[in-house]
Amino acid sequence: MRYLRLYLHFLRFSFSRALQFRLDFFFKIIMDLIFYVVNIGFYKILFLSTPSLAGWSESQTIVFVSSYLLVDALHMTVFASNMWWLPFYINRGDLDSYLTRPVSTLFLISLREFAANSFINLLFAIGIFSWALTQLDYSYNLTDFLLYVGLILNGVLLHYVLQMIFIIPVFWTQSNRGFNDFFFSMGISIERPDLIYKGPLRWVLTFILPFALIVSFPARIFFETQSESLLMHLFGVTVVMWVIMLTFWRKGLKAYSSASS
Amino acid sequence: MKPWVLKVISTELRKILAYRSDFWINFIGQMLIQLFIARALWSAVFEANGVTEMRGLTLDKMTLYYLLAPLIMKTMMGENIGFLAREIYDGGINRYLVWPLKALQYKSLTFMTYSIFYLLQLNLMYLIARFIFDPSPYSLADFTGALMGSGLILLASYTYFYIMSLCEMVAFWADNTWTLSVMLRFVASFLGGAFLPLSFFPDSLLPVLKLLPFQAMISTPVNLYLGRADGAQALEAALTLLMWLPALYFLSRLMWRKASYHYTGVGM
């Protein structure tokens, strides 16, 4: 309850700060909308030259892409700004002030900044997803829909955990740019259906660096028979990654030596 | 050549190589990831169509396309986003107002140093990847294609510097401008053919894309490396860029001059 109250304060501060810089607020919304157009445009153009992609039709792929936009918008709204600043806090020693506060440091550094502009984009993403669902020729029920929402939230959590795993090495490496760029390059694998990955690459992207699980598995709820193994795979990997991240975070904090870290 | 030019280049090179672990993780990691994902995607597309070639590209050539396109993008984009806006915010441009050189001239040199360095990386990777994906012996056409491609990329980079400067200079009036540079990157990548070869785009869009500078910046250089474009197409692309360059140059100069009157040191 205390954390919820604290989070509501974060929301209030974030909205009032965002509205102070209105041009910036507007630019960020436009930027994300261009990103959405490019992503949908990519598959729309690709499907001019192919009847299917890894067994998915165009309407199925568009549901997948719009699910990706949802995950991206949620991540941008809740976590992205915090993730951006974390390496700077560690490098400059600003983490000190977070460590001394009487709440979980991980909670504070992960959720303090709420991106109000991305929240607007989240509404656009929901609109695009709703449109994509109307194009789909499959019937689904309320259970499918609720399961989908749960899996999308799990996808957002997994995305956050993976990003943290790529940020935490900054405790030892001083500069995070290489790992950060590596993470964003890996991000392209989220934007593609998981069924295109075969052999060792599939194994890497669904177990070791499970980027391919973030969006593809939730989207499959709408046009594939629900499989328990798929759900167990997804939740199992998320739990393991969460434990790895927490262990890594604690080790990082032990290595932290303030401003010279 | 002015005496400070080499000094600026050497300082910038030292900055690029300052964090070597970052540098190699970045370079090799990004390249391999792009390659594997593109290969997986296009294998699925080729399989769905039951073909071994699409729009003149085999799977191996397509893979090479997706190796070259991001490297060309990186080369063309030179110094990272914020190369000018950051200095406007923190007052760093004060020094250009007192130094006996033009700020945009200096910034274009630092920008191009990154481009030249990345171009060397690109050509090295091309030599290796060309052998992996096309084991036929290297021919004179490979080298002329690479040479024309390299020249065009440098011209593209110089043109892109001025487009990006226009976005960065908005920092004189706005609080945050990195979003504009990211928008530019999305648009340039998509319309330039970095995400999808332009031969897959609808025919009705192609004449419009030809008028914009992005095709000449990405698609044509990739095709020159792949041997899918000839000297005439390289010349046409160069002329497109040369048509845009003066307009962008004068617009940047004009914007800089207007902004200089508006500038009040730190705290913009």
Side-chain angles (χ1 to χ4, degrees), chain A residues 21 23-24 27-28 30-31 34-35 38 41-43 45-46 48-54 173-179 181-182 185-186 188-189 192 196-198 201 205, chain B residues 19 22 25-26 29-30 33-34 36-37 40-42 44-45 47-49 54-55 66 80 118 170 174-180 182-183 186-187 190 195-196 200-202:
Chain A
F21 304 103
L23 194 60
D24 181 40
F27 279 166
K28 283 179 179 165
I30 300 287
M31 177 185 73
I34 291 177
F35 177 70
V38 165
F42 174 85
Y43 283 103
I45 293 175
L46 189 66
L48 294 175
S49 305
T50 185
S52 66
L53 184 62
T173 61
Q174 283 93 42
S175 165
N176 184 54
R177 201 171 150 202
F179 282 102
D181 288 352
F182 189 79
S185 298
M186 288 298 298
I188 302 170
S189 61
R192 308 283 178 255
I196 66 166
Y197 305 118
K198 305 247 162 71
L201 183 63
L205 289 173
Chain B
Y19 293 106
D22 268 7
I25 291 169
N26 207 344
Q30 278 189 20
I33 293 163
Q34 304 260 9
F36 282 128
I37 295 170
L41 175 76
W42 286 98
V45 174
E47 201 181 294
N49 285 279
M54 288 182 85
R55 314 286 161 99
Y66 278 90
N80 225 336
Y118 294 145
V170 174
D175 301 296
N176 209 337
T177 59
W178 64 268
T179 43
L180 289 178
V182 175
M183 283 184 226
F186 285 151
V187 172
F190 189 58
F195 292 158
L196 267 176
F200 284 82
F201 278 55

Coordinates of all heavy atoms in Angstrom, one line a residue, chain A residues 21 23-24 27-28 30-31 34-35 38 41-43 45-46 48-54 173-179 181-182 185-186 188-189 192 196-198 201 205, chain B residues 19 22 25-26 29-30 33-34 36-37 40-42 44-45 47-49 54-55 66 80 118 170 174-180 182-183 186-187 190 195-196 200-202:
Chain A
F21 N 7.1 21.0 -20.4 CA 7.9 21.0 -21.7 C 6.9 20.5 -22.8 O 7.0 19.4 -23.2 CB 9.1 20.2 -21.6 CG 10.0 20.6 -20.4 CD1 10.1 19.8 -19.3 CD2 10.8 21.7 -20.5 CE1 10.9 20.2 -18.2 CE2 11.6 22.1 -19.5 CZ 11.7 21.4 -18.3
L23 N 6.4 21.3 -26.0 CA 6.9 20.9 -27.4 C 7.6 19.6 -27.4 O 7.4 18.8 -28.2 CB 7.9 22.0 -27.8 CG 8.3 22.0 -29.3 CD1 7.1 22.3 -30.2 CD2 9.3 23.1 -29.6
D24 N 8.4 19.3 -26.3 CA 9.1 18.1 -26.1 C 8.1 16.9 -26.0 O 8.2 15.9 -26.7 CB 9.9 18.1 -24.9 CG 10.7 16.9 -24.6 OD1 11.2 16.3 -25.6 OD2 10.8 16.5 -23.5
F27 N 6.7 16.3 -29.5 CA 7.7 15.7 -30.3 C 7.8 14.2 -30.0 O 7.9 13.3 -30.9 CB 9.1 16.2 -30.1 CG 9.4 17.5 -30.8 CD1 10.5 18.3 -30.4 CD2 8.6 18.0 -31.8 CE1 10.8 19.5 -31.1 CE2 8.9 19.2 -32.5 CZ 10.0 19.9 -32.1
K28 N 7.7 13.8 -28.7 CA 7.9 12.4 -28.4 C 6.7 11.6 -28.8 O 6.8 10.4 -29.3 CB 8.0 12.3 -26.8 CG 9.4 12.6 -26.3 CD 9.5 12.5 -24.9 CE 10.9 12.9 -24.4 NZ 11.0 13.1 -22.9
I30 N 4.8 12.3 -31.5 CA 5.0 12.1 -33.0 C 6.0 11.1 -33.3 O 5.8 10.2 -34.2 CB 5.4 13.5 -33.6 CG1 4.4 14.6 -33.3 CG2 5.7 13.3 -35.1 CD1 3.1 14.4 -34.1
M31 N 7.1 11.1 -32.5 CA 8.2 10.1 -32.8 C 7.7 8.7 -32.7 O 7.9 7.8 -33.5 CB 9.3 10.4 -31.8 CG 10.5 9.4 -31.9 SD 11.7 9.6 -30.6 CE 10.8 8.9 -29.2
I34 N 5.5 7.7 -35.6 CA 6.2 7.4 -36.8 C 6.8 5.9 -36.6 O 6.7 5.1 -37.6 CB 7.4 8.4 -37.0 CG1 6.8 9.7 -37.4 CG2 8.4 7.9 -38.1 CD1 7.8 10.8 -37.6
F35 N 7.2 5.6 -35.4 CA 7.7 4.3 -35.2 C 6.6 3.2 -35.4 O 6.9 2.2 -36.0 CB 8.2 4.2 -33.7 CG 8.7 2.9 -33.3 CD1 9.9 2.3 -33.7 CD2 7.9 2.1 -32.3 CE1 10.3 1.1 -33.3 CE2 8.4 0.9 -31.9 CZ 9.6 0.4 -32.4
V38 N 6.1 2.9 -39.2 CA 7.2 2.2 -39.9 C 7.0 0.7 -39.6 O 7.2 -0.1 -40.5 CB 8.5 2.7 -39.4 CG1 9.7 1.8 -39.7 CG2 8.8 4.1 -39.9
G41 N 4.0 -0.6 -41.6 CA 4.4 -0.4 -43.0 C 5.3 -1.5 -43.5 O 5.2 -2.1 -44.6
F42 N 6.3 -1.9 -42.6 CA 7.2 -2.9 -42.9 C 6.5 -4.2 -43.3 O 6.8 -4.8 -44.3 CB 8.2 -3.2 -41.7 CG 9.1 -4.3 -41.9 CD1 10.3 -4.2 -42.5 CD2 8.8 -5.6 -41.4 CE1 11.2 -5.2 -42.7 CE2 9.6 -6.7 -41.6 CZ 10.8 -6.5 -42.2
Y43 N 5.6 -4.7 -42.4 CA 4.9 -5.9 -42.7 C 3.9 -5.8 -43.8 O 3.7 -6.7 -44.6 CB 4.2 -6.5 -41.4 CG 5.3 -7.1 -40.5 CD1 5.7 -6.4 -39.4 CD2 5.8 -8.3 -40.8 CE1 6.7 -7.0 -38.5 CE2 6.8 -8.9 -40.0 CZ 7.2 -8.2 -38.8 OH 8.2 -8.8 -38.0
I45 N 4.2 -4.0 -46.5 CA 4.9 -4.1 -47.7 C 5.5 -5.5 -47.9 O 5.4 -6.0 -49.0 CB 6.1 -3.0 -47.8 CG1 5.5 -1.6 -47.8 CG2 7.0 -3.2 -48.9 CD1 6.5 -0.5 -47.7
L46 N 6.0 -6.1 -46.9 CA 6.5 -7.5 -47.0 C 5.4 -8.4 -47.5 O 5.7 -9.3 -48.3 CB 7.0 -7.9 -45.6 CG 7.8 -9.2 -45.6 CD1 9.1 -9.1 -46.4 CD2 8.1 -9.7 -44.2
L48 N 3.1 -7.8 -49.5 CA 2.9 -7.7 -50.9 C 3.6 -8.8 -51.7 O 3.3 -9.1 -52.9 CB 3.3 -6.3 -51.4 CG 2.6 -5.1 -50.9 CD1 3.2 -3.8 -51.4 CD2 1.1 -5.1 -51.3
S49 N 4.7 -9.3 -51.1 CA 5.5 -10.3 -51.8 C 5.4 -11.7 -51.2 O 6.2 -12.6 -51.7 CB 7.0 -9.8 -51.7 OG 7.1 -8.6 -52.3
T50 N 4.6 -11.9 -50.2 CA 4.6 -13.3 -49.6 C 3.1 -13.5 -49.1 O 2.5 -12.6 -48.6 CB 5.6 -13.4 -48.5 OG1 5.6 -14.8 -48.1 CG2 5.4 -12.5 -47.3
P51 N 2.7 -14.8 -49.3 CA 1.3 -15.1 -48.8 C 1.3 -15.3 -47.3 O 0.3 -15.1 -46.6 CB 0.9 -16.4 -49.5 CG 2.2 -17.0 -49.8 CD 3.3 -15.9 -50.0
S52 N 2.4 -15.7 -46.7 CA 2.5 -16.0 -45.3 C 3.9 -15.8 -44.7 O 4.8 -15.7 -45.5 CB 2.0 -17.4 -45.0 OG 2.9 -18.3 -45.5
L53 N 4.0 -15.8 -43.4 CA 5.3 -15.6 -42.8 C 5.4 -16.6 -41.6 O 4.7 -16.5 -40.7 CB 5.5 -14.2 -42.3 CG 6.9 -13.8 -41.7 CD1 8.0 -14.0 -42.8 CD2 6.9 -12.4 -41.2
A54 N 6.2 -17.6 -41.8 CA 6.4 -18.7 -40.8 C 5.0 -19.2 -40.4 O 4.7 -19.5 -39.3 CB 7.1 -18.2 -39.6
T173 N 31.9 -2.0 -15.7 CA 32.6 -1.6 -17.0 C 32.7 0.0 -17.2 O 33.2 0.4 -18.3 CB 31.8 -2.1 -18.2 OG1 30.4 -1.6 -18.2 CG2 31.8 -3.6 -18.2
Q174 N 32.2 0.8 -16.3 CA 32.1 2.2 -16.4 C 31.2 2.8 -17.5 O 30.4 3.6 -17.3 CB 33.6 2.8 -16.6 CG 34.4 2.9 -15.3 CD 35.2 1.6 -15.2 OE1 35.8 1.2 -16.1 NE2 35.3 1.1 -14.0
S175 N 31.5 2.3 -18.8 CA 30.6 2.8 -19.9 C 29.6 1.6 -20.2 O 30.0 0.5 -20.3 CB 31.4 3.1 -21.1 OG 30.6 3.2 -22.2
N176 N 28.4 2.0 -20.5 CA 27.4 1.0 -20.7 C 27.0 1.0 -22.2 O 26.1 0.2 -22.6 CB 26.1 1.4 -19.9 CG 25.0 0.4 -20.0 OD1 25.3 -0.8 -19.8 ND2 23.9 0.8 -20.4
R177 N 27.7 1.8 -23.0 CA 27.2 2.0 -24.4 C 27.1 0.7 -25.2 O 26.2 0.4 -25.9 CB 28.0 3.1 -25.1 CG 27.3 3.7 -26.2 CD 27.9 4.8 -26.8 NE 27.6 4.9 -28.2 CZ 28.3 5.5 -29.1 NH1 29.4 6.1 -28.8 NH2 27.9 5.5 -30.4
G178 N 28.2 -0.1 -25.1 CA 28.3 -1.3 -25.9 C 27.1 -2.2 -25.5 O 26.4 -2.7 -26.4
F179 N 26.9 -2.5 -24.2 CA 25.8 -3.4 -23.8 C 24.5 -2.8 -24.1 O 23.6 -3.6 -24.5 CB 25.9 -3.6 -22.3 CG 27.0 -4.6 -21.9 CD1 28.2 -4.1 -21.4 CD2 26.8 -5.9 -22.0 CE1 29.2 -5.0 -21.0 CE2 27.8 -6.8 -21.7 CZ 29.0 -6.4 -21.2
D181 N 23.7 -0.7 -26.6 CA 23.5 -0.9 -28.1 C 23.2 -2.3 -28.4 O 22.4 -2.6 -29.3 CB 24.7 -0.4 -28.9 CG 24.8 1.1 -28.8 OD1 23.9 1.8 -28.3 OD2 25.8 1.7 -29.3
F182 N 23.9 -3.3 -27.8 CA 23.7 -4.7 -28.0 C 22.2 -5.0 -27.6 O 21.6 -5.8 -28.4 CB 24.7 -5.5 -27.1 CG 24.7 -6.9 -27.4 CD1 25.4 -7.4 -28.5 CD2 24.0 -7.9 -26.6 CE1 25.4 -8.8 -28.7 CE2 24.1 -9.2 -26.8 CZ 24.8 -9.7 -27.9
S185 N 19.9 -3.8 -30.3 CA 20.0 -4.6 -31.5 C 19.2 -5.9 -31.3 O 18.5 -6.3 -32.2 CB 21.5 -5.0 -31.8 OG 22.2 -3.8 -32.0
M186 N 19.4 -6.5 -30.1 CA 18.6 -7.7 -29.8 C 17.1 -7.4 -29.9 O 16.3 -8.3 -30.2 CB 18.9 -8.2 -28.4 CG 20.3 -8.8 -28.3 SD 20.6 -10.3 -29.3 CE 19.4 -11.4 -28.7
I188 N 15.4 -6.1 -32.0 CA 14.8 -6.4 -33.4 C 14.2 -7.7 -33.4 O 13.2 -8.0 -34.0 CB 15.9 -6.2 -34.5 CG1 16.5 -4.9 -34.5 CG2 15.3 -6.5 -35.8 CD1 17.7 -4.7 -35.3
S189 N 14.8 -8.7 -32.6 CA 14.2 -10.0 -32.6 C 12.8 -10.1 -31.9 O 12.1 -11.0 -32.2 CB 15.2 -11.0 -31.8 OG 15.3 -10.6 -30.5
R192 N 10.0 -9.6 -34.6 CA 9.8 -10.7 -35.6 C 9.1 -11.9 -35.0 O 9.4 -12.2 -33.8 CB 11.1 -11.1 -36.3 CG 12.0 -10.0 -36.8 CD 11.5 -9.5 -38.1 NE 12.3 -8.3 -38.6 CZ 11.9 -7.1 -38.5 NH1 10.8 -6.7 -38.1 NH2 12.7 -6.1 -39.0
I196 N 10.0 -17.8 -37.0 CA 11.0 -17.7 -38.1 C 12.3 -18.2 -37.6 O 13.2 -18.5 -38.3 CB 11.1 -16.3 -38.6 CG1 11.7 -15.3 -37.6 CG2 9.8 -15.8 -39.2 CD1 12.2 -14.0 -38.1
Y197 N 12.5 -18.3 -36.2 CA 13.8 -18.7 -35.7 C 13.9 -20.2 -35.6 O 13.0 -20.8 -35.0 CB 14.0 -18.1 -34.3 CG 13.9 -16.6 -34.3 CD1 13.0 -15.9 -33.5 CD2 14.7 -15.8 -35.1 CE1 12.8 -14.5 -33.6 CE2 14.6 -14.4 -35.1 CZ 13.7 -13.8 -34.4 OH 13.5 -12.4 -34.4
K198 N 14.9 -20.8 -36.2 CA 15.1 -22.2 -36.2 C 16.4 -22.6 -35.6 O 17.3 -21.8 -35.5 CB 15.0 -22.7 -37.6 CG 13.7 -22.3 -38.4 CD 12.8 -23.5 -38.7 CE 11.4 -23.1 -39.0 NZ 11.2 -22.4 -40.3
L201 N 19.6 -20.8 -33.1 CA 19.1 -19.4 -32.9 C 17.8 -19.4 -32.1 O 17.6 -18.5 -31.2 CB 18.9 -18.7 -34.3 CG 18.5 -17.2 -34.2 CD1 19.6 -16.4 -33.6 CD2 18.2 -16.7 -35.6
L205 N 17.1 -17.6 -28.5 CA 16.1 -16.5 -28.4 C 14.9 -16.9 -27.6 O 14.1 -16.0 -27.3 CB 15.7 -16.0 -29.8 CG 16.8 -15.2 -30.5 CD1 16.3 -14.9 -31.9 CD2 17.1 -13.9 -29.8
Chain B
Y19 N 36.8 3.6 -25.3 CA 36.2 2.5 -24.7 C 36.2 1.3 -25.6 O 35.3 1.0 -26.3 CB 34.8 2.8 -24.2 CG 34.7 3.8 -23.1 CD1 34.3 5.1 -23.4 CD2 35.1 3.5 -21.8 CE1 34.3 6.1 -22.4 CE2 35.1 4.5 -20.8 CZ 34.7 5.8 -21.2 OH 34.6 6.8 -20.2
D22 N 33.5 -1.6 -25.3 CA 32.2 -1.1 -25.9 C 32.2 -1.2 -27.4 O 31.3 -1.7 -28.0 CB 32.0 0.4 -25.5 CG 31.3 0.5 -24.2 OD1 31.0 -0.5 -23.6 OD2 30.9 1.7 -23.9
I25 N 32.1 -4.9 -28.7 CA 30.8 -5.5 -28.4 C 29.8 -4.9 -29.3 O 29.0 -5.6 -30.0 CB 30.4 -5.2 -26.9 CG1 31.2 -6.0 -25.9 CG2 28.9 -5.6 -26.7 CD1 31.1 -5.6 -24.5
N26 N 29.9 -3.6 -29.5 CA 28.9 -2.9 -30.3 C 29.0 -3.3 -31.8 O 28.0 -3.7 -32.4 CB 29.4 -1.4 -30.2 CG 28.2 -0.5 -30.5 OD1 27.2 -0.9 -31.0 ND2 28.3 0.8 -30.1
G29 N 28.8 -7.5 -32.1 CA 27.5 -7.9 -31.6 C 26.3 -7.5 -32.5 O 25.6 -8.3 -33.0
Q30 N 26.3 -6.2 -32.7 CA 25.2 -5.6 -33.5 C 25.2 -6.2 -34.9 O 24.1 -6.6 -35.4 CB 25.4 -4.1 -33.7 CG 24.9 -3.3 -32.6 CD 24.9 -1.8 -32.9 OE1 24.9 -1.4 -34.0 NE2 24.9 -1.1 -31.8
I33 N 23.9 -9.9 -34.8 CA 22.5 -10.0 -34.5 C 21.6 -9.7 -35.7 O 20.7 -10.4 -36.1 CB 22.1 -9.0 -33.3 CG1 22.8 -9.5 -32.1 CG2 20.6 -8.9 -33.1 CD1 22.9 -8.5 -31.0
Q34 N 22.0 -8.5 -36.3 CA 21.2 -8.1 -37.5 C 21.2 -9.2 -38.6 O 20.2 -9.5 -39.2 CB 21.9 -6.8 -38.2 CG 22.1 -5.7 -37.2 CD 21.0 -4.6 -37.4 OE1 20.1 -4.9 -38.1 NE2 21.2 -3.5 -36.7
F36 N 21.8 -12.5 -38.3 CA 21.0 -13.8 -37.9 C 19.5 -13.5 -38.1 O 18.8 -14.4 -38.6 CB 21.3 -14.2 -36.5 CG 22.7 -14.9 -36.4 CD1 23.6 -14.6 -35.5 CD2 22.9 -16.0 -37.3 CE1 24.8 -15.2 -35.4 CE2 24.1 -16.7 -37.2 CZ 25.1 -16.3 -36.3
I37 N 19.1 -12.4 -37.6 CA 17.6 -12.1 -37.6 C 17.1 -11.9 -39.0 O 16.1 -12.4 -39.4 CB 17.3 -10.9 -36.7 CG1 17.6 -11.2 -35.2 CG2 15.8 -10.5 -36.8 CD1 17.5 -10.0 -34.3
A40 N 17.0 -15.2 -40.7 CA 15.8 -16.0 -40.3 C 14.5 -15.5 -41.0 O 13.7 -16.3 -41.5 CB 15.7 -15.9 -38.8
L41 N 14.4 -14.2 -41.0 CA 13.2 -13.6 -41.6 C 13.1 -14.0 -43.1 O 12.0 -14.5 -43.5 CB 13.2 -12.1 -41.4 CG 12.1 -11.3 -42.1 CD1 10.8 -11.5 -41.3 CD2 12.4 -9.9 -42.3
W42 N 14.1 -13.8 -43.8 CA 14.1 -14.0 -45.3 C 14.0 -15.5 -45.6 O 13.5 -15.8 -46.6 CB 15.2 -13.2 -46.0 CG 14.8 -11.8 -46.0 CD1 15.3 -10.8 -45.1 CD2 13.9 -11.1 -46.8 NE1 14.7 -9.6 -45.4 CE2 13.8 -9.8 -46.4 CE3 13.0 -11.5 -47.9 CZ2 12.9 -8.8 -47.1 CZ3 12.2 -10.6 -48.5 CH2 12.1 -9.3 -48.1
A44 N 12.3 -17.6 -44.0 CA 10.9 -17.8 -43.9 C 10.1 -17.3 -45.1 O 9.2 -18.0 -45.6 CB 10.3 -17.2 -42.6
V45 N 10.5 -16.1 -45.6 CA 9.8 -15.5 -46.7 C 10.1 -16.4 -48.0 O 9.2 -16.7 -48.8 CB 10.2 -14.1 -47.0 CG1 9.6 -13.5 -48.2 CG2 9.8 -13.2 -45.8
E47 N 10.9 -19.5 -48.1 CA 10.3 -20.8 -47.9 C 8.8 -20.7 -48.2 O 8.2 -21.5 -48.9 CB 10.5 -21.2 -46.5 CG 10.3 -22.7 -46.2 CD 10.5 -23.0 -44.8 OE1 11.7 -22.8 -44.3 OE2 9.6 -23.4 -44.1
A48 N 8.1 -19.6 -47.7 CA 6.7 -19.4 -48.0 C 6.4 -19.3 -49.5 O 5.3 -19.7 -49.9 CB 6.2 -18.2 -47.2
N49 N 7.3 -18.7 -50.2 CA 7.1 -18.5 -51.7 C 7.6 -19.7 -52.5 O 7.4 -19.7 -53.7 CB 7.8 -17.2 -52.1 CG 7.0 -16.0 -51.7 OD1 6.0 -15.6 -52.3 ND2 7.4 -15.4 -50.6
M54 N 14.3 -13.7 -55.0 CA 13.2 -12.7 -55.0 C 13.8 -11.3 -55.4 O 14.7 -10.9 -54.8 CB 12.6 -12.6 -53.6 CG 11.7 -13.8 -53.3 SD 10.9 -13.7 -51.7 CE 9.5 -12.8 -52.2
R55 N 13.1 -10.7 -56.4 CA 13.5 -9.4 -56.9 C 15.1 -9.3 -57.1 O 15.7 -8.4 -56.7 CB 13.1 -8.3 -55.9 CG 11.7 -8.4 -55.4 CD 10.7 -7.9 -56.5 NE 9.4 -8.4 -56.1 CZ 8.4 -7.7 -55.6 NH1 8.6 -6.5 -55.3 NH2 7.3 -8.2 -55.3
Y66 N 21.5 -7.1 -45.7 CA 21.2 -6.8 -44.3 C 22.4 -6.6 -43.5 O 22.3 -6.1 -42.4 CB 20.2 -7.7 -43.7 CG 18.7 -7.4 -44.1 CD1 18.2 -7.9 -45.3 CD2 18.0 -6.5 -43.4 CE1 16.9 -7.6 -45.7 CE2 16.7 -6.1 -43.8 CZ 16.2 -6.7 -44.9 OH 14.9 -6.4 -45.3
N80 N 27.1 10.6 -33.0 CA 25.8 10.2 -32.5 C 24.8 11.4 -32.4 O 25.2 12.5 -32.4 CB 26.0 9.5 -31.2 CG 25.1 8.2 -31.1 OD1 24.1 8.1 -31.8 ND2 25.5 7.3 -30.3
Y118 N 34.0 4.5 -39.6 CA 33.0 3.5 -39.8 C 33.1 2.9 -41.2 O 32.8 1.7 -41.4 CB 31.6 4.0 -39.4 CG 31.4 4.3 -38.0 CD1 30.6 5.4 -37.6 CD2 32.0 3.6 -37.0 CE1 30.4 5.7 -36.3 CE2 31.8 4.0 -35.6 CZ 31.0 5.0 -35.3 OH 30.8 5.3 -34.0
V170 N 17.4 23.0 -33.6 CA 16.1 23.3 -32.9 C 16.3 23.5 -31.4 O 15.5 24.1 -30.7 CB 15.0 22.3 -33.3 CG1 13.7 22.5 -32.5 CG2 14.8 22.2 -34.8
A174 N 14.0 24.8 -28.5 CA 13.2 23.8 -27.8 C 14.0 23.1 -26.7 O 15.3 23.2 -26.7 CB 12.7 22.7 -28.7
D175 N 13.4 22.5 -25.7 CA 14.1 21.9 -24.6 C 14.7 20.5 -24.9 O 15.6 20.1 -24.2 CB 13.1 21.8 -23.4 CG 12.5 23.1 -23.0 OD1 13.3 24.0 -22.6 OD2 11.3 23.3 -23.2
N176 N 14.2 19.9 -25.9 CA 14.7 18.5 -26.2 C 14.5 18.3 -27.6 O 13.4 18.4 -28.2 CB 13.9 17.5 -25.3 CG 14.8 16.3 -25.0 OD1 15.7 16.0 -25.8 ND2 14.4 15.6 -24.0
T177 N 15.6 17.9 -28.3 CA 15.5 17.7 -29.8 C 15.9 16.3 -30.2 O 15.8 16.0 -31.4 CB 16.3 18.7 -30.5 OG1 17.7 18.5 -30.1 CG2 15.9 20.1 -30.2
W178 N 16.3 15.4 -29.3 CA 16.8 14.1 -29.8 C 15.7 13.4 -30.5 O 15.9 12.6 -31.4 CB 17.4 13.3 -28.6 CG 16.4 13.0 -27.5 CD1 16.1 13.7 -26.4 CD2 15.5 11.8 -27.5 NE1 15.2 13.0 -25.6 CE2 14.8 11.9 -26.3 CE3 15.3 10.7 -28.3 CZ2 13.8 11.0 -25.9 CZ3 14.3 9.8 -28.0 CH2 13.6 9.9 -26.8
T179 N 14.4 13.7 -30.1 CA 13.3 13.0 -30.7 C 13.3 13.3 -32.2 O 12.9 12.4 -33.0 CB 12.0 13.5 -30.1 OG1 12.0 14.9 -29.9 CG2 11.7 12.8 -28.8
L180 N 13.6 14.6 -32.6 CA 13.6 14.9 -34.0 C 14.7 14.1 -34.8 O 14.4 13.6 -35.9 CB 14.0 16.4 -34.2 CG 12.9 17.4 -33.8 CD1 13.4 18.8 -34.0 CD2 11.6 17.2 -34.6
V182 N 15.7 11.2 -33.9 CA 15.3 9.8 -34.0 C 14.2 9.6 -35.1 O 14.2 8.7 -35.8 CB 14.8 9.3 -32.6 CG1 14.1 7.9 -32.7 CG2 15.9 9.3 -31.6
M183 N 13.3 10.6 -35.2 CA 12.3 10.6 -36.2 C 13.0 10.5 -37.6 O 12.6 9.8 -38.5 CB 11.4 11.8 -36.2 CG 10.4 11.9 -35.1 SD 9.4 13.4 -35.3 CE 9.4 13.9 -33.6
F186 N 14.3 7.1 -38.3 CA 13.2 6.1 -38.7 C 12.9 6.3 -40.2 O 12.8 5.4 -41.0 CB 11.9 6.4 -37.9 CG 12.0 5.9 -36.5 CD1 11.2 6.5 -35.5 CD2 12.8 4.8 -36.1 CE1 11.3 6.1 -34.2 CE2 12.8 4.3 -34.8 CZ 12.0 5.0 -33.8
V187 N 12.6 7.6 -40.5 CA 12.2 7.9 -41.9 C 13.3 7.6 -42.9 O 13.0 6.9 -43.9 CB 11.8 9.4 -42.0 CG1 11.5 9.8 -43.4 CG2 10.6 9.7 -41.1
F190 N 13.6 3.7 -43.3 CA 12.5 3.1 -43.9 C 12.5 3.5 -45.4 O 12.4 2.6 -46.3 CB 11.2 3.5 -43.2 CG 10.0 2.7 -43.7 CD1 10.0 1.3 -43.6 CD2 8.9 3.3 -44.3 CE1 8.9 0.6 -44.1 CE2 7.8 2.6 -44.7 CZ 7.8 1.2 -44.6
F195 N 15.3 -1.1 -44.0 CA 14.5 -2.1 -43.4 C 14.0 -3.2 -44.4 O 14.0 -4.3 -44.1 CB 13.2 -1.5 -42.8 CG 13.5 -0.6 -41.6 CD1 12.6 0.4 -41.1 CD2 14.7 -0.8 -40.8 CE1 12.9 1.2 -40.0 CE2 14.9 0.0 -39.7 CZ 14.1 1.0 -39.3
L196 N 13.7 -2.7 -45.6 CA 13.3 -3.6 -46.7 C 13.9 -3.0 -48.0 O 13.9 -1.8 -48.2 CB 11.8 -3.5 -46.9 CG 10.9 -4.4 -46.2 CD1 9.4 -4.0 -46.4 CD2 11.1 -5.9 -46.6
F200 N 11.0 -4.1 -53.1 CA 9.8 -4.7 -52.6 C 8.7 -3.7 -52.4 O 7.6 -4.1 -52.1 CB 10.1 -5.4 -51.2 CG 10.9 -6.7 -51.4 CD1 12.2 -6.7 -51.6 CD2 10.2 -7.9 -51.4 CE1 12.9 -7.9 -51.8 CE2 10.8 -9.1 -51.6 CZ 12.2 -9.1 -51.8
F201 N 9.0 -2.4 -52.5 CA 8.0 -1.4 -52.3 C 7.1 -1.3 -53.5 O 7.4 -1.7 -54.6 CB 8.7 0.0 -52.1 CG 9.2 0.3 -50.7 CD1 10.1 -0.6 -50.1 CD2 8.8 1.4 -50.1 CE1 10.6 -0.3 -48.8 CE2 9.3 1.7 -48.8 CZ 10.2 0.8 -48.1
P202 N 5.8 -0.8 -53.3 CA 4.9 -0.7 -54.4 C 5.5 0.2 -55.5 O 6.1 1.2 -55.2 CB 3.7 -0.1 -53.8 CG 3.8 -0.2 -52.4 CD 5.2 -0.4 -52.0

